[in-house]
Amino acid sequence: MEEHSNPLKLTEFTDSILESISDGVFTVDNQWRISFFNRAAEDITGIPRNEALGKRCSEVFKSSMCEADCALRQTLNNTTPIINKSCYIINAEGERIPVSVSTAVLKNSEGQVIGGAETFRDLSEVEALRNALKGRSQVGGFVSHSPLMRNLFELLPAVSASSSNVLIQGETGTGKELLARAVHDMGPRADKPFIAINCGALPDNLLESELFGYKKGAFTGATQDKPGRFALAEGGTLFLDEIGEINPALQVRLLRVLQEHCYEPLGAVKSEQSDVRIIAATHKDLAAMVANGEFRQDLYYRIHVVDLKLPPLRSRKEDIPLLVDQFVRNFNRLQNREVSGLSPEAISFLLDHDWPGNVRELENVIERAFVLCPNGQIGPAYLPPELGARVMPKDQPEAIGSARQLAEKQSIQEALKRNRFNRAATARELGIHKTTLYRKMKSLQIPFPKQNGRNR
């Protein structure tokens, strides 16, 4: 360490470190003229160092933040560093390069401010993956490019156009009510009410009165008529969530409504007609419940005209980046925030989790991150500890790279399928050159089809 006591040698040592890192680094003096410009800065911007040195930084970078929202200016004004702020720069060829920037104040040995330093990271590959995901399918509140979900989406127009009852099956948190709303909104009853009730959240006697309503004087405290959910959903759709929770007696009453299209409110002396489409949902195995005598077989067949199965999130992990983007946009709007999204490292943590709580659990994780994270990018530190501890042990840093490669491989494979394995069209969709796509397919061991789709 003695040789570094010489200020000149120490400067040379520091410069050699800055030359070896992959992030672009530059410094400016108090007149905003560039005084240092490392090798990575040359590579990312395409501007030779000798052309950058001595110029004002805004002339070199032409960033989206240069005019009114300069991160380095903010840091020099309040001496507070900025970490991973997203923006873009224009390189020497006029191309827009997405980057994340971090800033710091430079001081001399006497503590006087002599300029500022900024590092910037090229996010082009992340942006290319994001563009690859834009070829997704979207129905109602669902966004997905998973083959499992696309098969489901293809059924929805025909299912929505009919008036048949629908049974949606899926684990808790997969979005069964969202799917029910999509079926309603795409069908001829879209301008009529969509009424939902959770059959497992109410005791039996209260659930009955909630479904069918009651007349004044039907029981103590019934001081006026109250319409039930069937009446409120007249002409529209009634969504019976967790239908597997209702008792046998109520199953009989519900079966009568479905068979005869009429019901009697509690305390009523005559039946009321019902024109309601039923969409039921459950996380239970109703067929097994029928076999065990826990659920009426005739009711099962009445609600099981059309069967829609929602896959768990662990079976469609390629949708996690899409869902994260959707949640980030929603929370930014609701909370008036400017969170730019999740870092690639944070996304890799999410991709390696099994998600027993499915999409609802993922949404809760992102909401938690919003509570803890200031405006900027959400990194692994803002994720629940139990999520990170399993994903990346301290002695296995390669786990992040493996998860990122898996996500990239899935995105490229899906893009190839969408473009019928035409590599030129796939490269255009992904926003990369054909040779880059070829190299990635080779490194990720994605097989090349015998016919590349060029002539299709």
Side-chain angles (χ1 to χ4, degrees):
M1 295 296 293
E2 291 182 1
E3 64 173 337
H4 297 151
S5 60
N6 184 314
L8 181 59
K9 287 184 176 294
L10 182 60
T11 299
E12 293 174 351
F13 178 67
T14 303
D15 287 354
S16 67
I17 293 176
L18 295 178
E19 284 296 315
S20 67
I21 65 176
S22 59
D23 287 356
V25 181
F26 72 95
T27 62
V28 297
D29 58 22
N30 287 327
Q31 281 73 47
W32 298 96
R33 301 196 179 277
I34 294 177
S35 53
F36 177 82
F37 202 73
N38 76 339
R39 175 195 53 78
E42 288 185 293
D43 293 341
I44 296 172
T45 63
I47 299 173
R49 186 180 330 210
N50 59 350
E51 293 183 14
L53 293 175
K55 287 187 177 180
R56 293 177 65 86
C57 56
S58 59
E59 298 174 7
V60 173
F61 290 98
K62 303 173 184 176
S63 166
S64 59
M65 296 193 301
C66 283
E67 294 300 326
D69 194 27
C70 176
L72 191 53
R73 186 181 298 278
Q74 292 177 26
T75 294
L76 291 176
N77 286 342
N78 57 29
T79 69
T80 301
I82 289 175
I83 307 296
N84 290 336
K85 185 168 185 176
S86 296
C87 66
Y88 67 85
I89 59 175
I90 306 298
N91 67 8
E93 298 178 357
E95 298 173 328
R96 188 170 115 154
I97 308 296
V99 296
S100 66
V101 303
S102 301
T103 59
V105 172
L106 289 180
K107 296 181 180 180
N108 60 18
S109 58
E110 298 176 354
Q112 298 174 321
V113 176
I114 58 173
E118 181 172 308
T119 66
F120 55 100
R121 176 169 299 176
D122 187 353
L123 300 180
S124 296
E125 288 196 6
V126 175
E127 189 71 13
L129 279 175
R130 191 182 303 274
N131 289 335
L133 299 178
K134 287 182 180 178
R136 62 188 183 269
S137 299
Q138 180 164 359
V139 174
F142 282 99
V143 288
S144 175
H145 66 278
S146 164
L148 292 174
M149 291 297 289
R150 276 210 302 274
N151 293 338
L152 180 63
F153 289 169
E154 289 172 359
L155 293 174
L156 290 188
V159 172
S160 301
S162 76
S163 59
S164 299
N165 297 329
V166 178
L167 176 62
I168 301 174
Q169 300 186 74
E171 295 179 8
T172 298
T174 49
K176 294 187 289 292
E177 183 170 345
L178 271 181
L179 184 58
R181 287 184 179 274
V183 171
H184 171 78
D185 291 341
M186 293 172 63
R189 297 174 182 257
D191 59 339
K192 300 295 183 181
F194 176 92
I195 303 297
I197 184 169
N198 188 325
C199 300
L202 299 171
D204 296 338
N205 57 341
L206 183 56
L207 177 60
E208 184 174 4
S209 65
E210 283 294 318
L211 284 174
F212 305 116
Y214 55 79
K215 296 295 184 179
K216 178 179 178 181
F219 51 84
T220 303
T223 57
Q224 59 184 9
D225 293 354
K226 179 185 176 182
R229 302 298 173 93
F230 272 95
L232 295 175
E234 182 63 24
T237 300
L238 178 60
F239 176 59
L240 303 176
D241 197 9
E242 298 302 345
I243 195 171
E245 304 290 343
I246 64 176
N247 65 31
L250 192 52
Q251 290 178 31
V252 174
R253 289 205 64 186
L254 186 58
L255 176 63
R256 180 172 180 266
V257 179
L258 299 185
Q259 287 177 332
E260 302 178 10
H261 302 288
C262 64
Y263 63 94
E264 291 180 5
L266 296 178
V269 295
K270 64 178 182 177
S271 298
E272 297 186 10
Q273 294 297 310
S274 173
D275 175 22
V276 172
R277 184 183 193 180
I278 298 295
I279 301 179
T282 181
H283 72 282
K284 293 186 173 182
D285 186 346
L286 285 190
M289 292 179 66
V290 169
N292 295 332
E294 300 173 301
F295 198 85
R296 291 184 62 95
Q297 186 179 56
D298 44 8
L299 177 58
Y300 174 70
Y301 288 123
R302 281 290 178 180
I303 62 174
H304 193 232
V305 178
V306 178
D307 184 19
L308 299 178
K309 288 184 171 64
L310 270 174
L313 185 56
R314 62 181 173 274
S315 298
R316 53 184 187 103
K317 286 188 176 181
E318 64 269 36
D319 284 342
I320 288 177
L322 291 178
L323 293 166
V324 168
D325 282 350
Q326 185 182 47
F327 294 146
V328 167
R329 287 195 302 271
N330 289 345
F331 288 131
N332 273 331
R333 185 180 67 254
L334 292 174
Q335 301 180 21
N336 194 26
R337 299 282 299 280
E338 294 182 0
V339 172
S340 59
L342 271 68
S343 70
E345 291 80 7
I347 289 289
S348 69
F349 278 73
L350 303 184
L351 289 170
D352 203 57
H353 186 53
D354 285 337
W355 301 106
N358 292 295
V359 179
R360 185 179 297 134
E361 180 187 0
L362 176 61
E363 184 176 15
N364 288 344
V365 166
I366 303 304
E367 185 172 8
R368 175 189 185 274
F370 261 73
V371 172
L372 301 177
C373 178
N375 289 341
Q377 194 174 56
I378 296 173
Y382 299 109
L383 301 179
E386 62 273 14
L387 206 67
R390 281 196 323 114
V391 176
M392 191 181 65
K394 291 182 180 179
D395 58 347
Q396 293 183 0
E398 68 275 6
I400 278 182
S402 299
R404 187 185 299 119
Q405 286 181 344
L406 174 61
E408 185 174 19
K409 183 175 182 179
Q410 290 173 333
S411 296
I412 291 175
Q413 287 174 323
E414 289 302 315
L416 283 166
K417 290 178 184 178
R418 284 194 297 274
N419 291 283
R420 298 183 179 182
F421 296 95
N422 184 314
R423 291 196 290 273
T426 301
R428 283 196 300 271
E429 179 181 324
L430 295 176
I432 58 179
H433 194 271
K434 283 191 299 182
T435 56
T436 303
L437 175 63
Y438 183 88
R439 175 175 53 81
K440 287 182 177 291
M441 290 177 66
K442 189 173 182 180
S443 65
L444 295 170
Q445 297 182 337
I446 299 174
F448 290 86
K450 293 181 180 179
Q451 184 177 4
N452 72 359
R454 185 178 300 156
N455 298 322
R456 295 184 182 181

